[in-house]
Amino acid sequence: MQIPIDSPVCAPLDAVKRDGYSFVTAEVMHPLLRASGDLSDWNAFAASWNQLGPDPYLAATGRQRRRRHATYTATPNDGVELAPHQPHYQSLLYNRLQGDIERWFEPVDSAMANGKSLRTILAFCNDFFSSLAPATPSWHVEVHQFRIEASSTSAGEPTPEGSHRDGVDFVLVLLIDRCNIASGTTTIHSPDGKPLGHFTLTHPFDAALIHDPRVFHGVTPVTPITPDEPAHRDVLVVTFRARS
């Protein structure tokens, strides 16, 4: 992807190259996505978080998270294609809590998986990440819809595995919605544990772009602002890993 020197995407690209991550506010991220495609089904896309099933693997440990999952293949010149449904796998090296097992989640609803908003997000990621790794001929792409729920008796844990890497090349974390929650601050660390930065995804379209091999990331637990009312944090996580 040839990016004009005055393009708004240059600042996030430079930040990822320099620091290994970039916090992109909604005021910047929304126009970047609009430049990559169509977001006309965004309201339906965001509403689909209300249809997520529970994460059965975390439920077994007493933690509450809802999610759906989809897999795609991507090439820099030919775009992104939905792949057959398959499990999500991480080694214990990257996930001390749930590593070395195949985890099957409900698939992303087909209308959303092929919908305009998600296709636009994936097109942006394909261009952005491919520009950071121009020698990569193709990508294994995974999409995760997450809802973290909190209650007056139990904080929600966006990253129950703690500060971690995902075992991929690049990560996008895009905020979809926050409802009645406090905290949820993203923290960035070097591999030796040195704090590198922190920020909070507050508004829909706020985003984090991460070069996973270089930095660790985590999110602080969320708690309800009004204890007896529903409280949740909805995010879309997209990972790109070079296909071997």
Side-chain angles (χ1 to χ4, degrees):
M1 180 175 68
Q2 296 297 320
I3 299 174
I5 193 169
D6 59 347
S7 170
V9 81
C10 283
L13 275 172
D14 289 344
V16 175
K17 290 176 183 177
R18 181 184 65 247
D19 304 323
Y21 74 96
S22 177
F23 168 49
V24 188
T25 64
E27 290 78 8
V28 175
M29 193 67 193
H30 186 259
L32 290 177
L33 293 176
R34 288 291 300 270
S36 296
D38 189 342
L39 296 171
S40 60
D41 67 347
W42 178 263
N43 289 340
F45 180 57
S48 71
W49 265 253
N50 295 323
Q51 308 303 319
L52 303 188
D55 181 336
Y57 303 93
L58 272 184
T61 64
R63 294 176 169 91
Q64 184 58 49
R65 177 166 68 184
R66 297 181 179 275
R67 68 190 295 176
R68 287 181 183 258
H69 173 249
T71 304
Y72 296 77
T73 59
T75 55
N77 296 320
D78 296 330
V80 182
E81 296 295 333
L82 183 64
H85 191 52
Q86 55 195 269
H88 175 53
Y89 178 85
Q90 292 174 296
S91 75
L92 278 171
L93 177 65
Y94 297 107
N95 190 328
R96 294 166 293 176
L97 186 64
Q98 297 176 312
D100 284 356
I101 59 173
E102 291 188 346
R103 286 182 285 164
W104 288 91
F105 302 105
E106 292 185 19
V108 174
D109 178 80
S110 59
M112 297 300 104
N114 293 293
K116 294 176 181 178
S117 289
L118 185 50
R119 288 289 183 174
T120 292
I121 294 165
L122 293 174
F124 166 82
C125 289
N126 193 21
D127 285 345
F128 188 92
F129 297 143
S130 293
S131 70
L132 290 167
T136 302
S138 64
W139 299 100
H140 174 81
V141 180
E142 295 193 44
V143 167
H144 307 262
Q145 292 179 289
F146 287 113
R147 168 167 287 184
I148 305 301
E149 297 176 329
S151 70
S152 59
T153 59
S154 179
E157 297 180 78
T159 54
E161 62 272 62
S163 182
H164 65 285
R165 291 182 295 161
D166 288 335
V168 296
D169 291 291
F170 297 103
V171 182
L172 164 74
V173 182
L174 182 71
L175 184 71
I176 305 300
D177 184 41
R178 286 173 63 105
C179 175
N180 186 37
I181 60 166
S183 193
T185 297
T186 298
T187 59
I188 306 292
H189 298 83
S190 64
D192 63 2
K194 177 184 176 182
L196 298 177
H198 60 86
F199 48 86
T200 303
L201 305 182
T202 304
H203 303 98
F205 295 103
D206 281 354
L209 294 157
I210 298 167
H211 187 197
D212 192 66
R214 289 178 58 191
V215 298
F216 283 64
H217 62 280
V219 184
T220 60
V222 297
T223 56
I225 297 172
T226 303
D228 297 327
E229 295 184 4
H232 63 254
R233 178 182 188 263
D234 293 350
V235 298
L236 179 77
V237 174
V238 180
T239 65
F240 270 56
R241 175 172 55 83
R243 292 174 63 90
S244 56

